[in-house]
Amino acid sequence: MGEKSEKLTVIFILFAAAAVASVALAAESDGDGSTTDNFDMDTAVKEAYRKMFRSNRAQQMQAVQFLSTMDDVEKQTKTIDMLLTKLFQVLLESKAEISSSGYVPGVSSFPTDTHVREALSKILENTAFFSDLLLRMPSLIGTRFKKNNEWQVIFRWSLNFCGETQLVDEETAQTFDLVGQELEIIPRRANYVNPFRDTEAKVRAATAAAAAAAEAKKQAEKSKRRKAPRGPSLGGRKTEL
């Protein structure tokens, strides 16, 4: 996630900065810098961010699919442990940046400061990423999450923060609602079901079966090589002429 995530963040910053510049120029040419122009600019920049957010979410889902279907359980576990450690470190650092900036989700205008905007982006994207991972691997990731109090505190904060920003698309908002119920951060409704829970069990069963089949094939090939008859020796007896 490291290098790829950083690239996505850089792309977002450049995109949003370009959007701010172009909309600001339009507002300046259309009027006298009134409150309406400022409101329209803020709305346009938020929409530009939502578009980029949806694009980044599509790439995140590819990573989620890859991680949830890794056929080597040991590698999968190590990869996820490293990923979660980094993810929550980023959330913690981004929370500190946002808190010190005075930005209030749902109240403040979209931030123009690069560092604040980057922190906002990291909070939204990493909260969504973790939500997708947990819903699709509730046993593997849920167990780790519930053992770490610091992770629980920062995620409760980030989930609430994201809900107040009004910057995510409807699908992501539904994901946040599901993960909130899954972790019982919010009360579970009577009809609550994690639609991905059965998928985890099926993937694990398929992965285990594939691993067992691969190991059986490997052992069969070893046994076949041991039983294979050897050819005549190249160093036979010398024949006198």
Side-chain angles (χ1 to χ4, degrees):
M1 175 178 154
E3 184 178 353
K4 186 172 183 180
S5 178
E6 291 300 322
K7 288 180 178 178
L8 292 179
T9 301
V10 171
I11 290 172
F12 159 68
I13 292 172
L14 293 174
F15 182 92
V20 170
S22 61
V23 176
L25 287 173
E28 184 178 354
S29 62
D30 289 342
D32 55 1
S34 63
T35 303
T36 302
D37 290 331
N38 292 333
F39 174 79
D40 290 343
M41 181 180 73
D42 188 59
T43 301
V45 174
K46 286 181 178 179
E47 185 54 40
Y49 173 74
R50 291 188 185 99
K51 183 176 180 181
M52 179 58 70
F53 179 78
R54 287 193 294 270
S55 175
N56 289 352
R57 291 283 291 131
Q59 296 181 56
Q60 281 185 341
M61 288 308 302
Q62 293 178 4
V64 171
Q65 178 67 17
F66 171 76
L67 287 167
S68 63
T69 56
M70 289 180 69
D71 55 7
D72 189 319
V73 176
E74 184 178 355
K75 286 184 179 180
Q76 181 193 48
T77 302
K78 288 181 178 180
T79 301
I80 287 175
D81 283 342
M82 292 173 60
L83 174 64
L84 294 182
T85 299
K86 179 62 178 177
L87 186 150
F88 281 101
Q89 178 186 340
V90 169
L91 280 179
L92 192 61
E93 293 171 352
S94 300
K95 178 188 176 183
E97 179 71 40
I98 283 287
S99 298
S100 64
S101 72
Y103 173 81
V104 179
V107 177
S108 303
S109 298
F110 196 82
T112 56
D113 182 271
T114 300
H115 297 294
V116 178
R117 187 183 298 152
E118 182 177 357
L120 174 60
S121 177
K122 286 180 178 179
I123 291 169
L124 288 164
E125 292 185 14
N126 282 286
T127 302
F129 191 32
F130 177 75
S131 298
D132 286 325
L133 287 169
L134 185 130
L135 287 171
R136 286 160 178 78
M137 292 179 278
S139 298
L140 178 61
I141 294 181
T143 300
R144 284 159 172 72
F145 178 79
K146 291 175 182 178
K147 290 180 179 179
N148 193 310
N149 290 332
E150 186 178 32
W151 289 4
Q152 293 178 47
V153 171
I154 185 62
F155 188 72
R156 282 175 179 270
W157 175 87
S158 69
L159 193 64
N160 181 65
F161 177 90
C162 292
E164 293 179 350
T165 62
Q166 302 174 7
L167 288 172
V168 301
D169 56 282
E170 184 177 348
E171 184 178 352
T172 303
Q174 291 175 353
T175 296
F176 288 159
D177 180 62
L178 285 173
V179 80
Q181 292 184 77
E182 179 69 22
L183 295 174
E184 298 186 84
I185 293 174
I186 60 176
R188 289 185 178 180
R189 291 187 287 275
N191 62 345
Y192 170 73
V193 174
N194 177 355
F196 308 105
R197 180 173 287 278
D198 290 343
T199 302
E200 180 186 34
K202 291 177 181 177
V203 168
R204 282 192 170 276
T207 299
E215 181 62 24
K217 182 179 180 181
K218 182 179 178 181
Q219 293 300 326
E221 289 176 349
K222 283 185 178 180
S223 178
K224 186 177 180 180
R225 284 197 297 271
R226 285 196 298 266
K227 294 179 180 179
R230 298 186 178 185
S233 174
L234 295 177
R237 292 183 304 171
K238 293 183 179 180
T239 303
E240 297 184 1
L241 297 177

